[in-house]
Amino acid sequence: MLFQTAGIHASPWLPPLVAFTISFFTSMGGVSGAFLLLPFQMSFLGYTNPSFSATNQLFNIVAIPSGVYRYCREGRMIWPLTWVVVAGTLPGVFIGAVVRVEYLPDPRTFKLFAACVLLYIGIKMVRDLLDKTAVAKKHNAAEKRFRERVCHYREDTAGRNESEKNPLPTVMVTHFDFKRLSYTFYGEESVISSWRVFALSSIVGIVGGIYGIGGGAIIAPFLVTFFKLPVYTVAGAALMGTFITSVAGVTFYQIIAPFYPNLSVAPDYLLGGLFGLGGAAGMYLGACCQKNVPARAIKWMLAGIIVFASMNYVADFFEY
């Protein structure tokens, strides 16, 4: 099949299959998987036009709602955190899109930039996983108790009607303003600075706009590593923030496309749609399975994927 905007040929079953596999695992950590679709498109499919950033964000728009729906249904969506992330990342997405088209149209330069960003995040996640401080132990204990509650929930509800089931613990927001956001999750309170999350999100928005990932692959690890938030509670907010900023990103790329007639800027809607269909199925199943996977396993998985992707970008950069 010919994907005209991308200028590539590929079997129609390949994009959804790849997106499903990636999204199933990454959605557990609040990441859509778009940042892993980039090396697949560039290295395997040969899609190197600047429009692959917009195509990646189109994938987010199609794929993410299913995962967000599942997290909302299970009561693990922190809406105040979502809106702070969106408020910070949204302006940066527009800046990042212009930087991408004006200063990073060369795929070689872009790969080096992406490698640096991902490698920093991956190393920070590994250091956090090796952290033995009291704060880390506290969150590990809370996440362990939640996992035990999930196991008991499955045992208690086996063979019962839905009406007899006791719901799993949900996130409860206890305070929210511009200075502070606090919430409780399974007996442990998490308190973060709202304006610091906003400032970080602004930087992430620029990077995400350049990279074409909506910022989720960056903001989710940062929330877990820098702000020490439980991974079970940030996934929904990170995905929802990525969805909203991706809508803005695709719209902006489409608007500026006529101003760059010599570049492929607008998304490939057919390719992005096929990626999105597979991603939607993968994210829904990943969100369903997240509570059954130990938090440390999710964090190690994210760290490993991010470091692996960054190393591939470095290798590609020096191959030119």
Side-chain angles (χ1 to χ4, degrees):
M1 175 182 288
L2 172 64
F3 297 93
Q4 189 169 0
T5 301
I8 60 172
H9 288 83
S11 299
W13 55 266
L14 186 60
L17 177 62
V18 171
F20 173 85
T21 304
I22 291 174
S23 297
F24 173 76
F25 293 102
T26 59
S27 61
M28 296 183 190
V31 179
S32 69
F35 76 106
L36 289 178
L37 288 179
L38 276 178
F40 173 76
Q41 292 179 72
M42 295 176 70
S43 301
F44 187 82
L45 297 181
Y47 186 7
T48 58
N49 296 329
S51 61
F52 67 66
S53 292
T55 302
N56 247 24
Q57 291 183 337
L58 178 62
F59 154 78
N60 286 335
I61 295 173
V62 179
I64 287 177
S66 64
V68 169
Y69 165 76
R70 187 67 195 189
Y71 285 121
C72 289
R73 183 179 174 184
E74 295 184 0
R76 289 187 286 130
M77 174 66 74
I78 309 173
W79 287 109
L81 178 61
T82 302
W83 303 133
V84 172
V85 169
V86 170
T89 55
L90 204 53
V93 168
F94 303 128
I95 299 173
V98 174
V99 172
R100 172 74 179 96
V101 175
E102 287 283 351
Y103 302 106
L104 292 173
D106 179 22
R108 185 170 184 267
T109 307
F110 179 76
K111 285 182 178 182
L112 181 62
F113 166 80
C116 293
V117 173
L118 291 177
L119 186 60
Y120 173 75
I121 296 170
I123 292 174
K124 183 67 179 71
M125 287 198 72
V126 172
R127 290 180 60 188
D128 180 70
L129 284 164
L130 299 175
D131 185 10
K132 302 297 182 182
T133 62
V135 174
K137 291 179 179 178
K138 182 188 76 170
H139 284 299
N140 289 337
E143 290 166 345
K144 182 179 179 181
R145 288 198 299 272
F146 176 70
R147 284 272 300 117
E148 292 172 349
R149 177 69 182 87
V150 170
C151 294
H152 292 316
Y153 173 80
R154 291 201 304 267
E155 294 172 358
D156 293 343
T157 57
R160 298 184 186 179
N161 294 327
E162 188 69 28
S163 60
E164 297 175 340
K165 295 182 180 181
N166 296 319
L168 286 170
T170 59
V171 174
M172 297 294 294
V173 177
T174 56
H175 181 85
F176 174 60
D177 56 29
F178 185 74
K179 293 183 178 180
R180 178 169 61 92
L181 166 64
S182 61
Y183 65 89
T184 59
F185 175 68
Y186 211 71
E188 294 292 342
E189 184 178 37
S190 297
V191 181
I192 55 176
S193 169
S194 300
W195 70 267
R196 286 184 180 179
V197 175
F198 175 84
L200 171 65
S201 300
S202 299
I203 300 173
V204 167
I206 297 175
V207 176
I210 296 171
Y211 197 18
I213 56 177
I218 305 173
I219 197 66
F222 264 96
L223 292 175
V224 173
T225 56
F226 284 90
F227 294 96
K228 308 298 181 184
L229 299 182
V231 68
Y232 290 129
T233 66
V234 304
L239 284 175
M240 187 63 184
T242 302
F243 171 77
I244 294 176
T245 53
S246 293
V247 171
V250 169
T251 302
F252 191 63
Y253 272 112
Q254 187 65 59
I255 291 173
I256 67 174
F259 298 97
Y260 298 90
N262 298 323
L263 287 176
S264 176
V265 175
D268 189 308
Y269 286 96
L270 179 57
L271 181 60
L274 289 176
F275 275 128
L277 290 176
M283 283 194 202
Y284 183 81
L285 291 178
C288 291
C289 295
Q290 188 221 40
K291 59 182 177 292
N292 301 308
V293 180
R296 284 184 65 82
I298 296 174
K299 294 174 186 177
W300 274 115
M301 176 188 66
L302 272 179
I305 290 173
I306 289 172
V307 171
F308 175 76
S310 65
M311 290 295 96
N312 276 347
Y313 277 132
V314 172
D316 289 345
F317 174 79
F318 287 107
E319 280 181 3
Y320 274 81

